[in-house]
C-alpha cells in the first residue's frame, strides 16, 4: 500500500517532523519498488534509547557529523520543501515546457527569445559561482533535449548551449587550479553528454542561414521588390518580422562566436589565440546588437506582466516559460540547496562584456616571447650544476606562474608556502657555486661561462625569492588581513624585504654591466643592453620609492604608538610579539630575510618620534624619486597611474606628518586613522580633531 | 566590561546589524555563566544556534562537541532565560594542539553588552589551561562585529578563504597564538639562536 510521508509524530528533541495539518501528495512506487511503512520500527528504535544516549560509531568524526542530514528538516532535507514539481515528468505533464512554445508563431518566437535571454542570465550566474543544476540546467528544454527536436530553432540553441557548457567545464577542470572549483564543475545527474555535439555548429549555422533568408525576404517585401525565392516567414506578423529576425540573428551569432572562442583557445601551444581574439571581437559586436534589440522586444509584451528593466532576466521583461529551479534540488548534494538569485539580463550582458575583455587579454599574451626567454635561460644552464637543481628550478618557475593565476586569497597562502622552497634553492645554488669556485662570491676573478651563469642564476633566484616575499606581504592589504594594530610591523617588514630586493637587483645590474664592459660588446648589443639598463634603473627607483614609503609609514605608526599609545593593543591572552610571529611565520621560517626578529623590530621602532621622522624626510625623498620616474614611464599608462597614486600617498603623508608635529602627538583631541584611498598597499594618515 | 552602546552583533557566522530599540535592559552582573551541565542544556543550545545562524547543523554535530568537550561549552543565562552560548573543541591539528571555536551566539536583545566576549573568554581560558598552543575559528569577512570582538582578544586574520560559505561569502581564518615559553630569538653574528623557539630550532650557545 502506498503510504503518505511520515506525519503527525510527536516531536523529539531537535525533531522537525512533518506538519500534520498538511497532506502530502502520494509518490507512486516504481516498477521495481514498493512502499513499506517503517513508522513502527522507527518508533520502537526511539524507545530503545534513553535520553542522552548516543550510538557512537568508531568513525564518527566531525566531518561525518557535519555531513549528516536530518530528514524532514527543511534547512537540510531538499525533498521536504513543498514548492515546485516532484519530477521533470510531472512538470512536463503540467505543460511547464511546451513544444512549440506557442501555437501562435509570433508568440512562439517571442518566447524562444525569452528562453535564450534567461539562459544567458543563468549562464552568467553559473560563472559567478552557483551550481549548474540551479542555473543553466533549470531549463526543462535542456533537461530533455530530445523533446525539442521538432522545433529547429530551439533545438539548435539547446544543442549549442549544452556543447558550450561542456567546453567550459572541461577547461576549468583541466586547469586544476584547486580553487574550490568543484562547485562549478559539479554536474551529477545532469544530461551534459550528448551524441553528435560536434555537429551543433552546423545545425546552428543552418538555422542562422534560414533566418538570414527570412530577413532578406522581409526587407525585399518592404521595398516592394520582387522576391527571389518563396520562403516562409519566421512568424505571422509582417510588421514585426524584421525586428524578430534581427533579434534572433544576433543572439545565434553570439552563441556561435562564443563557442568558437572556447574551441580556438583550447588549441595546443597557443595556436588558436589570434583566431580567438577575432571571435571575441565578433561576440562583443553581437552583444551590442543584442542590447539594441531590447527596445523592440520591450515594446511587445502581449499583455503579459513585464518585470522592471533593471531586474528582469530577459530583454522583453517577460518571465520565460520552461524553467523550474527547484527540480534539481536533489542533485545539489551534498550541500543543502540554496536559493540561487539569477542575475538580471542587464547584469549578465555587463558580465559577458567583462569576461570577453578578460579572455581577450589572455589571448593577447605573447607566448613565443615569454616561453623562449625561459627556455633559453634554462638551456644556458650547463654542468657542473646537478641536473636535479635545474629541473627543480624549472618546476618552481612554472609553479610560480600557476600560482600567480589563482585567486588572490589562495595565491597568498601558496606564495607563503613556496618561500621555503625558493629559499632552500638559493641555499643549494650558493653551496654548489661555492664548491665549484672555492672562494667567496664577492671576489671577481677570471670566470668561465658556467661560473657566470651560476652566479646569474643564484642572484635571479634570490631576487625572485624577495619578490615573492614582497607580494606575500602586499597581498595582505588587498585581502584585508591586517588590522591597524598590525600596520607598523607590516610596513617595517616590507621595508626590510624591499631593501633586500633592491640589493639583489643592483647586484644583478652591476654584474651585467661588468660583463658587457669586459666583453667589449659590439654596437648592436649595446642597444639591447641600454634598454635593459634603463628598465633596471627604473625598477630600482620604484623599489626605492616603496622603501621610502614603507619606512615612513612604519615610523609614523611607531611614533604615534610611542608618544600617544595609539595603535597599541594588549590583549588579555597575548601580546604584540605573538601577533608578529603569526603574521610573518612563513617568512621567518624561510629566513626571508635573515635576522628579522621581533627584537629587531622593537629596537628599530622603539625610539621613533614625530620630530625625528620629519627630519628624515622619507616622503619627500619618495616624491623626488617619483618625479624622476615619470620620464621613464611615459607611455605606460598602468605605471603612470601607480606613480600618481604613490605621489598622492607621499604628499598627503608628508602634510599629515607636519600637522601632527604642529598639534603634538600627545594632544588628546587628535585622532589619526590610516586609509587606503589612493594606493592599495600604502595607506594615508587621516587626521581628525574632536 | 564593554561600553553599553549597542552597536555590533557578535555571532560567529551570522549577519551584522546595528541594534537599537529592541535591546533588553539589564545589568551585566545579572548574567550568569554556566559550563555545559548535561543533556538538559542541549535543546537550549540547539534552539539558540538554529534560530540565529544560517548554516544548518545536524544534531550529531551538537552532540559531537558537547559530549567530547563539555568543559569548553558555556551558556549565558539572564533571569532563567538562556541568552547566549559558545561551543568549542580542542584537538591535534598538524602537530599543533589547537582550540577551535565552532559556534558563538547571543540573542539580539542582549547583544553589544559584552556577553559574547565573556563567553568566548571563558572558553579560551579553558583552552589555555589545557595546554593549547593556539585557538582558531572562521568568520565571514562581512561580520564586522565578530571580527572586532576577536581582534580585541588578540586574534589575527591569518588567511582569507575564498567563497568559504554556502552563500558565496569569503571567510577569514582567525588565530590566536598563546605566549609560549619561547623568547624572541636573539642571535649573535653567526646566526646561532640562544633559546629554543617555536621553529624547532634547538641550537643553544653554551
Amino acid at each position: 500500500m502506498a503510504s503518505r510521508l511520515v506525519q503527525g509524530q510527536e516531536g523529539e528533541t531537535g525533531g522537525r517532523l512533518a506538519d500534520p495539518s498538511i497532506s502530502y501528495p502520494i509518490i507512486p512506487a516504481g516498477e521495481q519498488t514498493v512502499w513499506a511503512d517503517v513508522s513502527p520500527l522507527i518508533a520502537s528504535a526511539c524507545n530503545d534509547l534513553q535520553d542522552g544516549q548516543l550510538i557512537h560509531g568508531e568513525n564518527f568524526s566531525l566531518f561525518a557529523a557535519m555531513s549528516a542530514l536530518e530528514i524532514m528538516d527543511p534547512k537540510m532535507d531538499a525533498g521536504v520543501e513543498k514548492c515546485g514539481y516532484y519530477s521533470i515528468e510531472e512538470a512536463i505533464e503540467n505543460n511547464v515546457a511546451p513544444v512549440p512554445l506557442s501555437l501562435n508563431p509570433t508568440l512562439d518566437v517571442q518566447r524562444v527569445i525569452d528562453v535564450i535571454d534567461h539562459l544567458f542570465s543563468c549562464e552568467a550566474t553559473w560563472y559567478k559561482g552557483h551550481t549548474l543544476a540551479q542555473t543553466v540546467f533549470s531549463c526543462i528544454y535542456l533537461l530533455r533535449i530530445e523533446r525539442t527536436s521538432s522545433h529547429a530553432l530551439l533545438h539548435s540553441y539547446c544543442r549549442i548551449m549544452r556543447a558550450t557548457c561542456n567546453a567550459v567545464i572541461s577547461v576549468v577542470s583541466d586547469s586544476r587550479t584547486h580553487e574550490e572549483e568543484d562547485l562549478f564543475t559539479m554536474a551529477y545527474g545532469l544530461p551534459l553528454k550528448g551524441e553528435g555535439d560536434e555537429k551543433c555548429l552546423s545545425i546552428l549555422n543552418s538555422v542562422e542561414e534560414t533566418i538570414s533568408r527570412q530577413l532578406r525576404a522581409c526587407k525585399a517585401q518592404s521595398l516592394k521588390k520582387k522576391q527571389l525565392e518563396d520562403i516562409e516567414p519566421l512568424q505571422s506578423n509582417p510588421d514585426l518580422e524584421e525586428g524578430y529576425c534581427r533579434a534572433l540573428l544576433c543572439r545565434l551569432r553570439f552563441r556561435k562566436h562564443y563557442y568558437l572562442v572556447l574551441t580556438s583557445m583550447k588549441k595546443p601551444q597557443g595556436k588558436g589565440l589570434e583566431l580567438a581574439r577575432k571571435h571575441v571581437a565578433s561576440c562583443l559586436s553581437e552583444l551590442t546588437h543584442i542590447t539594441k534589440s531590447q527596445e523592440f522586444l520591450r515594446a511587445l509584451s502581449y499583455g503579459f506582466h513585464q518585470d522592471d528593466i533593471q531586474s528582469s532576466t530577459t530583454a522583453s521583461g517577460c518571465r520565460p516559460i520552461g524553467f523550474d529551479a527547484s527540480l534539481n534540488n536533489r542533485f545539489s548534494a551534498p550541500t543543502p540547496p540554496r536559493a540561487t538569485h539569477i542575475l538580471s539580463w542587464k547584469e549578465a550582458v555587463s558580465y559577458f562584456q567583462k569576461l570577453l575583455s578578460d579572455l581577450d587579454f589572455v589571448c593577447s599574451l605573447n607566448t613565443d616571447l615569454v616561453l623562449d626567454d625561459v627556455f633559453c635561460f634554462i638551456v644556458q644552464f650547463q654542468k657542473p650544476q646537478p641536473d636535479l637543481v635545474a629541473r627543480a628550478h624549472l618546476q618552481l618557475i612554472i609553479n610560480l606562474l600557476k600560482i600567480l593565476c589563482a585567486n588572490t586569497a589562495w595565491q597568498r597562502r601558496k606564495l607563503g608556502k613556496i618561500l621555503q622552497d625558493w629559499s632552500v634553492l638559493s641555499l643549494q645554488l650558493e653551496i654548489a657555486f661555492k664548491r665549484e669556485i672555492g672562494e667567496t662570491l664577492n671576489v671577481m676573478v677570471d670566470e668561465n661561462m658556467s661560473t657566470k651563469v651560476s652566479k646569474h642564476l643564484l642572484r635571479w633566484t634570490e631576487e625572485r625569492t624577495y619578490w615573492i616575499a614582497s607580494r606575500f606581504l602586499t597581498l595582505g592589504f588587498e585581502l584585508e588581513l591586517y588590522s591597524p594594530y598590525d600596520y607598523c610591523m607590516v610596513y617595517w617588514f616590507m621595508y626590510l624585504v624591499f631593501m633586500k630586493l633592491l640589493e639583489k637587483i643592483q647586484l644583478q645590474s652591476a654584474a651585467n654591466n661588468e660583463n658587457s664592459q669586459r666583453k667589449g660588446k659590439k654596437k648592436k648589443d649595446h642597444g639591447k643592453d641600454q634598454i635593459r639598463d634603463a628598465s633596471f634603473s627604473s625598477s630600482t627607483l620604484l623599489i626605492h620609492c616603496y622603501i621610502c614609503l614603507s619606512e615612513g609609514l612604519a615610523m609614523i605608526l611607531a611614533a604615534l604608538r610611542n608618544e600617544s599609545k595609539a595603535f597599541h593593543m594588549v590583549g588579555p591572552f597575548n601580546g604584540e610579539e605573538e601577533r608578529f610571529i603569526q603574521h610573518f611565520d612563513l617568512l621567518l621560517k624561510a629566513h626571508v630575510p635573515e635576522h628579522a626578529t621581533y627584537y629587531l623590530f622593537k629596537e628599530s621602532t622603539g625610539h621613533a618620534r614625530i620630530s625625528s621622522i620629519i627630519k628624515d624626510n622619507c616622503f619627500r625623498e619618495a616624491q623626488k624619486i617619483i618625479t624622476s620616474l615619470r620620464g621613464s614611464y611615459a607611455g605606460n599608462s598602468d605605471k603612470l597611474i601607480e606613480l600618481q597614486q604613490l605621489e598622492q600617498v607621499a604628499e598627503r603623508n608628508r602634510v599629515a606628518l607636519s600637522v601632527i608635529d604642529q598639534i603634538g602627538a600627545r594632544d588628546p583631541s587628535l585622532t589619526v586613522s590610516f586609509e587606503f584611498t589612493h594606493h592599495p598597499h600604502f595607506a594615508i594618515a587621516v587626521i581628525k580633531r574632536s | 566590561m564593554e561600553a553599553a552602546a549597542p552597536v555590533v552583533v557578535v555571532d560567529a557566522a551570522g549577519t551584522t546589524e546595528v541594534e537599537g530599540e529592541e535591546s533588553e535592559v539589564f545589568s551585566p552582573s545579572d548574567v550568569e555563566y554556566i559550563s555545559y551541565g548535561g543533556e538538559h542544556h542541549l535543546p537550549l543550545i540547539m534552539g539558540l544556534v538554529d534560530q540565529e545562524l544560517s548554516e544548518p547543523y545536524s544534531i550529531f554535530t551538537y552532540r559531537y562537541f558537547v559530549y567530547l568537550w563539555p568543559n569548553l561549552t558555556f551558556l549565558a543565562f539572564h533571569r532563567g532565560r538562556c541568552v547566549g552560548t559558545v561551543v568549542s573543541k580542542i584537538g591535534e591539528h598538524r602537530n599543533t594542539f589547537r582550540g577551535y571555536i565552532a559556534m558563538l551566539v547571543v540573542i539580539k536583545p542582549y547583544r553589544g553588552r559584552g556577553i559574547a566576549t565573556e563567553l568566548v573568554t571563558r572558553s579560551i581560558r579553558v583552552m589555555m589551561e589545557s595546554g593549547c598552543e593556539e585557538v582558531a575559528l572562521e568568520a565571514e569577512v562581512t561580520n564586522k562585529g565578530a571580527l572586532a570582538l576577536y581582534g580585541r582578544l588578540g586574534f589575527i586574520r591569518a588567511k582569507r578563504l575564498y567563497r568559504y560559505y554556502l552563500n558565496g561569502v569569503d571567510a577569514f581564518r582567525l588565530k590566536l597564538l598563546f605566549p609560549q615559553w619561547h623568547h624572541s630569538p636573539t642571535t649573535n653574528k653567526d646566526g646561532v639562536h640562544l633559546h629554543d623557539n617555536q621553529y624547532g630550532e634547538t641550537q643553544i650557545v653554551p
Side-chain angles (χ1 to χ4, degrees):
Chain A
M1 172 193 100
S3 62
R4 303 257 183 106
L5 297 173
V6 175
Q7 59 174 343
Q9 300 242 351
E10 290 305 312
E12 305 277 324
T13 307
R16 281 160 281 273
L17 300 179
D19 183 340
S21 65
I22 299 173
S23 69
Y24 292 84
I26 297 167
I27 303 172
E31 278 174 22
Q32 308 275 330
T33 57
V34 74
W35 282 104
D37 191 353
V38 293
S39 329
L41 176 62
I42 293 175
S44 64
C46 289
N47 291 332
D48 211 27
L49 273 181
Q50 303 309 310
D51 253 14
Q53 280 192 309
L54 177 72
I55 300 172
H56 185 171
E58 271 173 26
N59 58 354
F60 182 59
S61 64
L62 179 59
F63 182 74
M66 295 277 287
S67 314
L69 297 177
E70 277 186 52
I71 300 175
M72 308 298 281
D73 180 346
K75 276 190 190 175
M76 289 183 253
D77 184 348
V80 90
E81 286 299 325
K82 202 184 159 269
C83 59
Y85 296 98
Y86 275 111
S87 67
I88 301 170
E89 282 63 38
E90 191 181 341
I92 291 171
E93 271 166 40
N94 283 278
N95 208 35
V96 171
V99 179
L101 284 71
S102 169
L103 292 170
N104 175 331
T106 307
L107 197 54
D108 183 64
V109 165
Q110 174 65 59
R111 285 186 170 160
V112 169
I113 294 176
D114 288 339
V115 168
I116 290 176
D117 288 349
H118 189 80
L119 276 174
F120 184 71
S121 303
C122 286
E123 196 180 12
T125 310
W126 171 44
Y127 289 3
K128 284 209 88 167
H130 294 271
T131 61
L132 192 55
Q134 291 185 282
T135 53
V136 178
F137 275 85
S138 65
C139 179
I140 295 171
Y141 296 115
L142 272 179
L143 288 170
R144 293 284 184 273
I145 268 187
E146 61 286 352
R147 290 179 68 239
T148 63
S149 42
S150 59
H151 193 305
L153 173 59
L154 183 62
H155 186 73
S156 61
Y157 199 85
C158 288
R159 292 281 290 271
I160 195 154
M161 272 306 294
R162 183 173 67 185
T164 307
C165 290
N166 273 321
V168 170
I169 287 173
S170 79
V171 150
V172 171
S173 35
D174 286 351
S175 70
R176 279 188 283 269
T177 59
H178 308 292
E179 279 188 48
E180 296 106 34
E181 66 267 18
D182 332 315
L183 201 67
F184 184 87
T185 55
M186 202 159 61
Y188 174 76
L190 298 176
L192 262 177
K193 296 295 174 215
E195 281 175 26
D197 264 353
E198 328 77 60
K199 293 195 235 123
C200 67
L201 265 183
S202 62
I203 298 172
L204 192 75
N205 280 337
S206 74
V207 172
E208 186 192 335
E209 181 55 41
T210 307
I211 301 180
S212 297
R213 297 204 324 253
Q214 284 162 336
L215 177 64
R216 275 200 296 275
C218 91
K219 275 161 73 174
Q221 193 156 60
S222 69
L223 294 172
K224 303 280 195 276
K225 272 195 200 165
K226 183 171 190 314
Q227 291 184 60
L228 289 165
E229 54 188 332
D230 220 354
I231 183 161
E232 212 177 297
L234 175 68
Q235 44 82 55
S236 45
N237 186 335
D239 297 327
L240 305 176
E241 181 78 356
E242 185 175 340
Y244 274 124
C245 286
R246 287 192 192 283
L248 270 174
L249 278 174
C250 53
R251 283 162 170 77
L252 294 174
R253 286 171 182 156
F254 172 84
R255 245 327 115 191
K256 172 179 73 179
H257 285 293
Y258 183 62
Y259 184 69
L260 287 169
V261 168
L262 297 172
T263 49
S264 306
M265 283 181 82
K266 234 192 142 137
K267 292 209 174 97
Q269 286 133 38
K271 290 200 175 123
L273 293 184
E274 224 179 289
L275 180 59
R277 290 191 85 184
K278 295 200 174 98
H279 286 300
V280 166
S282 303
C283 280
L284 286 168
S285 147
E286 297 302 337
L287 264 185
T288 333
H289 294 125
I290 291 174
T291 316
K292 283 195 194 132
S293 71
Q294 179 167 41
E295 202 184 319
F296 168 77
L297 292 167
R298 236 190 127 80
L300 309 159
S301 65
Y302 301 104
F304 291 111
H305 165 78
Q306 275 176 306
D307 284 327
D308 175 65
I309 205 173
Q310 294 304 328
S311 57
S312 172
T313 57
T314 63
S316 67
C318 299
R319 302 259 169 95
I321 63 170
F323 291 83
D324 187 329
S326 62
L327 280 176
N328 288 328
N329 278 354
R330 290 178 198 84
F331 293 133
S332 27
T335 57
R338 293 287 149 180
T340 305
H341 174 75
I342 303 289
L343 288 180
S344 75
W345 187 74
K346 272 193 173 306
E347 285 169 328
V349 170
S350 305
Y351 182 86
F352 269 95
Q353 280 166 338
K354 178 166 191 303
L355 171 66
L356 287 162
S357 91
D358 290 343
L359 288 174
D360 187 63
F361 186 81
V362 171
C363 293
S364 66
L365 175 73
N366 192 342
T367 48
D368 288 338
L369 184 62
V370 169
L371 289 178
D372 258 3
D373 273 359
V374 174
F375 190 66
C376 286
F377 187 78
I378 299 303
V379 163
Q380 258 183 68
F381 193 56
Q382 302 170 17
K383 302 227 189 275
Q385 290 294 341
D387 288 350
L388 184 59
V389 175
R391 276 185 278 118
H393 189 86
L394 178 60
Q395 280 172 36
L396 274 186
I397 293 169
I398 293 174
N399 272 349
L400 178 59
L401 288 173
K402 267 198 91 172
I403 288 167
L404 291 172
C405 293
N407 74 66
T408 46
W410 189 90
Q411 187 186 137
R412 187 180 189 267
R413 297 204 302 277
K414 278 294 164 184
L415 288 176
K417 296 232 167 90
I418 65 170
L419 263 177
Q420 192 108 24
D421 300 334
W422 281 77
S423 177
V424 163
L425 180 68
S426 295
L427 209 64
Q428 285 178 334
L429 286 171
E430 197 175 334
I431 290 169
F433 181 64
K434 277 184 181 164
R435 194 174 51 224
E436 289 306 313
I437 300 303
E439 54 194 356
T440 65
L441 282 172
N442 290 327
V443 177
M444 297 290 191
V445 288
D446 233 16
E447 295 163 342
N448 60 22
M449 178 61 169
S450 79
T451 313
K452 258 202 299 279
V453 169
S454 312
K455 239 199 269 187
H456 180 85
L457 184 61
L458 174 59
R459 280 196 208 104
W460 188 89
T461 307
E462 285 177 331
E463 187 196 313
R464 265 319 97 178
T465 309
Y466 284 104
W467 182 88
I468 292 170
S470 72
R471 185 152 172 84
F472 176 81
L473 289 169
T474 53
L475 271 179
F477 286 112
E478 290 178 33
L479 298 168
E480 300 174 297
L481 293 179
Y482 308 133
S483 81
Y485 300 116
D486 304 325
Y487 293 165
C488 183
M489 59 174 96
V490 173
Y491 283 122
W492 178 82
F493 220 102
M494 277 166 66
Y495 167 74
L496 289 191
V497 166
F498 282 131
M499 290 277 277
K500 278 299 220 185
L501 182 57
L502 183 64
E503 182 191 306
K504 301 301 171 191
I505 294 177
Q506 283 172 332
L507 280 173
Q508 192 75 301
S509 172
N512 287 339
N513 287 340
E514 253 232 11
N515 284 342
S516 31
Q517 274 169 24
R518 271 207 268 120
K519 274 184 174 174
K521 280 196 168 173
K522 294 190 193 129
K523 247 191 182 166
K524 65 171 179 174
D525 292 338
H526 266 302
K528 197 170 161 203
D529 278 348
Q530 261 177 6
I531 293 170
R532 206 174 39 181
D533 285 345
S535 86
F536 264 135
S537 70
S538 57
S539 53
T540 51
L541 280 176
L542 187 63
I543 308 260
H544 203 153
C545 183
Y546 291 160
I547 290 172
C548 295
L549 292 177
S550 305
E551 186 182 359
L553 282 165
M555 287 304 148
I556 294 185
L557 284 151
L560 287 170
R561 183 197 62 208
N562 295 338
E563 296 191 57
S564 68
K565 290 276 176 286
F567 301 105
H568 178 64
M569 197 210 47
V570 181
F573 295 107
N574 67 3
E576 193 181 39
E577 184 171 1
E578 281 71 44
R579 297 204 317 274
F580 181 93
I581 291 166
Q582 282 184 289
H583 271 303
F584 308 120
D585 179 47
L586 292 166
L587 293 157
L588 296 169
K589 281 203 175 96
H591 301 280
V592 175
E594 289 271 16
H595 315 308
T597 61
Y598 179 69
Y599 177 74
L600 187 65
F601 166 65
K602 294 308 284 181
E603 280 272 295
S604 318
T605 58
H607 305 291
R609 293 285 181 275
I610 296 287
S611 44
S612 46
I613 303 170
I614 290 189
K615 263 191 253 147
D616 285 340
N617 244 330
C618 300
F619 296 117
R620 213 182 272 286
E621 204 179 326
Q623 285 178 298
K624 283 193 206 144
I625 297 170
I626 292 164
T627 314
S628 64
L629 270 174
R630 276 191 222 279
S632 338
Y633 287 152
N636 186 334
S637 59
D638 288 334
K639 287 255 170 17
L640 284 176
I641 289 172
E642 194 188 359
L643 278 186
Q644 180 65 8
Q645 294 171 334
L646 293 170
E647 163 64 43
Q648 286 293 309
V649 169
E651 174 62 16
R652 283 161 197 260
N653 280 324
R654 191 185 60 77
V655 168
L657 198 52
S658 63
V659 170
I660 297 173
D661 191 40
Q662 277 171 28
I663 299 173
R666 288 177 215 263
D667 191 320
S669 70
L670 183 75
T671 326
V672 185
S673 65
F674 287 83
E675 315 289 335
F676 294 88
T677 43
H678 286 82
H679 193 283
H681 310 150
F682 294 108
I684 292 177
V686 175
I687 297 171
K688 289 198 182 78
R689 294 200 77 179
S690 49
Chain B
M1 294 306 259
E2 296 180 10
V7 175
V8 296
V9 159
V10 294
D11 48 14
T15 52
T16 50
E17 285 155 277
V18 175
E19 304 308 312
E21 324 79 16
E22 280 178 40
S23 295
E24 183 81 13
V25 175
F26 66 95
S27 156
S29 57
D30 284 343
V31 179
E32 262 192 284
Y33 296 93
I34 299 180
S35 189
Y36 178 79
E39 190 69 16
H40 58 286
H41 279 157
L42 192 52
L44 300 173
I45 296 170
M46 285 171 46
L48 275 185
V49 173
D50 266 2
Q51 181 189 323
E52 302 290 338
L53 299 187
S54 55
E55 308 268 304
Y57 293 121
S58 73
I59 185 158
F60 305 107
T61 307
Y62 293 104
R63 289 194 192 280
Y64 173 83
F65 285 104
V66 304
Y67 274 47
L68 296 172
W69 302 279
N71 59 339
L72 288 173
T73 291
F74 290 90
L75 296 90
F77 286 89
H78 179 241
R79 297 204 187 133
R81 179 188 183 192
C82 183
V83 301
T85 183
V86 66
V87 176
S88 313
K89 69 184 276 242
I90 281 181
E92 192 82 21
H93 176 89
R94 291 184 191 169
N95 292 324
T96 359
F97 196 47
R98 176 166 114 165
Y100 178 77
I101 300 173
M103 306 169 209
L104 172 67
V105 184
V106 172
I107 59 176
K108 278 201 186 60
Y110 287 81
R111 290 180 191 164
R113 302 293 304 279
I115 295 178
T117 303
E118 183 59 32
L119 284 166
V120 171
T121 302
R122 285 173 187 245
S123 200
I124 294 178
R125 217 174 270 141
V126 175
M127 292 172 186
M128 192 166 68
E129 284 155 12
S130 310
C132 282
E133 294 160 59
E134 60 180 22
V135 182
L137 69 127
E138 294 89 30
E140 280 178 339
V141 302
T142 46
N143 193 340
K144 304 283 182 215
L147 296 174
L149 186 160
Y150 291 109
R152 282 192 293 272
L153 291 175
F155 284 79
I156 66 152
R157 288 170 236 161
K159 289 179 192 168
R160 186 163 178 140
L161 305 166
Y162 184 66
R163 298 183 62 89
Y164 186 73
Y165 291 104
L166 289 172
N167 55 9
V169 175
D170 292 356
F172 288 125
R173 169 119 342 109
L174 302 177
K175 280 192 171 180
L176 174 85
L177 182 67
F178 292 121
Q180 303 292 300
W181 37 269
H182 72 265
H183 291 277
S184 188
T186 51
T187 62
N188 63 18
K189 59 176 158 56
D190 293 324
V192 177
H193 297 277
L194 296 180
H195 297 274
D196 268 14
N197 65 20
Q198 287 186 289
Y199 319 124
E201 289 157 311
T202 52
Q203 294 165 329
I204 302 177
V205 173

